[in-house]
Amino acid sequence: MKVVKLEDVLGTENDVDGGNWVSRRLINKKDNMGYSVNDTIIKAGTETHIWYQNHLEAVYCIEGEGEVVTLKDNKVWPIKAGTLYALDEHDEHLLRAYEGGDMRMVCVFNPPLTGKEVHDENGVYPVME
């Protein structure tokens, strides 16, 4: 069994700052679970272009408010605590956190992240070995 405390991840190599977001990688590829789990803060007032061409992601908001815009149809999906969204079609999207405060998200990725990824210029996480 594996037990991970957020406090043990903070300030380590698994505490990744992507500019508009900070992602604390709790379960990574090396844990051999077939998925990864992140505790992610989306900074207030930011907009991030994301397009996970190599990963599927489910995101559960536990704090804050914002929105996701799917770029194929420009549909706006309001996000607040208690909302889950799944990027089940490698959806290219914009993630916005409203000015009132940060959003805190629990993110699950398949295939799992190694823990070192940051978005490239197209909003993509590469598949890392």
Side-chain angles (χ1 to χ4, degrees):
M1 186 161 103
K2 181 174 181 90
V3 176
V4 181
K5 296 179 183 175
L6 180 59
E7 64 193 52
D8 295 334
V9 173
L10 297 176
T12 72
E13 66 181 10
N14 288 322
D15 188 2
V16 179
D17 188 335
N20 290 350
W21 50 267
V22 177
S23 183
R24 294 77 65 99
R25 278 68 192 280
L26 303 170
I27 299 286
N28 298 317
K29 184 176 181 176
K30 68 178 170 38
D31 297 308
N32 295 314
M33 296 293 294
Y35 57 86
S36 57
V37 178
N38 306 326
D39 182 323
T40 301
I41 303 295
I42 309 298
K43 296 178 184 174
T46 63
E47 176 181 275
T48 305
H49 172 248
I50 305 171
W51 191 8
Y52 295 129
Q53 298 172 5
N54 303 311
H55 298 86
L56 297 175
E57 182 191 27
V59 181
Y60 183 64
C61 180
I62 58 175
E63 291 178 17
E65 292 187 44
E67 61 190 23
V68 174
V69 180
T70 48
L71 295 181
K72 71 180 177 187
D73 56 9
N74 286 318
K75 186 163 184 176
V76 178
W77 304 87
I79 303 299
K80 64 180 182 177
T83 304
L84 179 135
Y85 65 92
L87 301 162
D88 60 342
E89 296 179 357
H90 303 281
D91 307 270
E92 184 175 11
H93 62 286
L94 300 174
L95 178 57
R96 298 179 180 135
Y98 294 154
E99 288 288 341
D102 295 342
M103 284 195 304
R104 185 172 177 201
M105 321 290 255
V106 176
C107 308
V108 178
F109 283 89
N110 182 14
L113 302 180
T114 65
K116 310 283 187 276
E117 292 86 353
V118 293
H119 300 127
D120 69 12
E121 66 278 358
N122 297 312
V124 176
Y125 278 159
V127 174
M128 299 175 74
E129 298 301 323

